[in-house]
Amino acid sequence: MTAAGETRAYGGLLTALPFAFRRSNSTVFRVYLLIGGFVGLFVTLIFGLGTLVLLDSMAGVAAGVITFTPALYLLIWLAIVAPLLTPPLLVARRHRLGNPSQRYDCWIAVAGFCFVGLLYCGAVIALPPTQQPPIQPGPFAGLLRQFYAWTQPIGVVPPLIGVGAIVGVHWLFRDDERTLE
């Protein structure tokens, strides 16, 4: 396939992901693309079902401030899924522009994995005290105890650090052909 054919094959979000998978030589990136894709589908399913339950509970309620809640669900969903999709989209863009780098692909995937892990940490921190399971003894008991001790709004900070990692890796490797290789 010619370079023009490859460029035409990448025509949007749904075609960018397979394009990035095919063009990248980084195994770490390919694994992230699969795991990040499954996490994104899971988050979409959870938020979709949550929105349906919310809309069902709002049936018959007069319009007003409470009708803002589904839009808030959509905003939070977007804030979670967008950073999950950012690494594959950035890799697809680099390869489409003829600027591939296996090192960039690997490090942007590592930053994506960091976001997934920090997203989980943020979810644990944001758990309401009534839904926190008892802490079992083990290697992570102290860390879990610390997470539960923090206030719920701090749960936003770990995912923001993950987003910062993705942005930082992209910024660091923006000119890697001239400066790092």
Side-chain angles (χ1 to χ4, degrees):
M1 190 179 275
T2 65
E6 284 288 340
T7 303
R8 279 193 302 266
Y10 166 32
L13 175 67
L14 294 179
T15 57
L17 301 179
F19 177 83
F21 188 84
R22 283 191 317 268
R23 296 297 297 262
S24 179
N25 294 326
S26 172
T27 304
V28 176
F29 172 74
R30 288 180 171 190
V31 170
Y32 172 76
L33 189 57
L34 294 174
I35 291 174
F38 283 125
V39 170
L41 286 174
F42 177 73
V43 167
T44 300
L45 180 68
I46 294 297
F47 272 86
L49 292 175
T51 303
L52 288 176
V53 169
L54 177 70
L55 291 174
D56 181 54
S57 69
M58 289 174 40
V61 176
V65 176
I66 197 159
T67 58
F68 173 71
T69 308
L72 189 58
Y73 271 40
L74 180 64
L75 249 164
I76 294 170
W77 169 80
L78 188 61
I80 293 171
V81 172
L84 286 171
L85 291 175
T86 299
L89 292 175
L90 289 173
V91 168
R93 179 179 176 272
R94 270 182 86 102
H95 284 272
R96 182 177 52 88
L97 294 176
N99 195 9
S101 169
Q102 185 173 359
R103 189 166 30 171
Y104 175 82
D105 296 358
C106 178
W107 281 106
I108 200 80
V110 168
F113 278 125
C114 287
F115 174 75
V116 171
L118 290 169
L119 182 65
Y120 180 76
C121 290
V124 169
I125 293 169
L127 269 175
T130 57
Q131 295 181 351
Q132 294 173 356
I135 298 173
Q136 303 294 326
F140 298 110
L143 182 63
L144 198 55
R145 216 174 275 108
Q146 183 64 40
F147 282 171
Y148 287 166
W150 289 337
T151 60
Q152 290 174 332
I154 292 177
V156 173
V157 173
L160 289 176
I161 292 171
V163 169
I166 293 170
V167 170
V169 166
H170 180 67
W171 182 79
L172 181 67
F173 286 95
R174 69 191 183 283
D175 294 325
D176 64 344
E177 288 76 31
R178 286 180 283 165
T179 58
L180 296 174
E181 290 185 356

